[in-house]
Amino acid sequence: MNTGSFEHFGCEFQVKYFILKGLDLLVNYTWLHTDKPVIAAPEHMAYVEGNYRLNKFNFNLSLQYINNLITQIKPEEINNSYALLSARVSYTAADLVTFYIDGNNLTGQDYEINYRYPMPGFAV
């Protein structure tokens, strides 16, 4: 179905800062304005990630915040906001071999990206 015409604009920035040798911080923010409600287009999105490298190990912790994500327009508009905390520990055994363990949605946040399609809770 053709959704018709619409106009949207916004801004995004990203900064990566190397705090110490092996330790860096990445920050990303996006703001989006739409003249009509658009499914799966959040108004605000923020992401913070920290990485620490020690020899062959890499430790990663990230937080993603989504605000005013539209999941349904009709019969009524439904918006979601949520924050997701994730972590990863990896070990590089050889040039082409890395072992890792991921933890996603560590706080067990209930959220949907698409209406009535819940996303997984805590997962490792």
Side-chain angles (χ1 to χ4, degrees):
M1 174 190 290
N2 189 346
T3 59
S5 65
F6 59 90
E7 182 178 312
H8 59 271
F9 58 87
C11 65
E12 179 175 9
F13 77 87
Q14 179 171 304
V15 176
K16 187 170 188 176
Y17 180 66
F18 295 91
I19 300 167
L20 301 168
K21 182 180 179 184
L23 178 63
D24 62 74
L25 182 68
L26 175 84
V27 177
N28 177 279
Y29 172 77
T30 303
W31 170 72
L32 178 66
H33 171 77
T34 59
D35 64 344
K36 298 177 185 176
V38 177
I39 292 177
E43 183 177 5
H44 302 278
M45 188 167 43
Y47 181 79
V48 178
E49 174 183 277
N51 286 294
Y52 179 66
R53 283 168 294 290
L54 179 64
N55 300 323
K56 294 185 175 191
F57 285 94
N58 188 47
F59 303 92
N60 173 278
L61 185 65
S62 65
L63 178 65
Q64 180 184 36
Y65 176 68
I66 303 292
N67 178 263
N68 201 19
L69 174 73
I70 298 171
T71 59
Q72 175 182 290
I73 297 174
K74 294 181 181 178
E76 64 179 311
E77 185 177 310
I78 297 177
N79 300 340
N80 282 329
S81 297
Y82 55 88
L84 301 174
L85 181 65
S86 299
R88 173 184 271 205
V89 176
S90 63
Y91 176 77
T92 303
D95 287 341
L96 299 175
V97 179
T98 300
F99 299 98
Y100 65 89
I101 185 165
D102 274 334
N104 296 305
N105 193 4
L106 296 176
T107 60
Q109 178 75 47
D110 291 327
Y111 70 103
E112 296 177 349
I113 295 174
N114 298 307
Y115 182 67
R116 291 198 174 173
Y117 289 93
M119 297 302 291
F122 173 85
V124 175

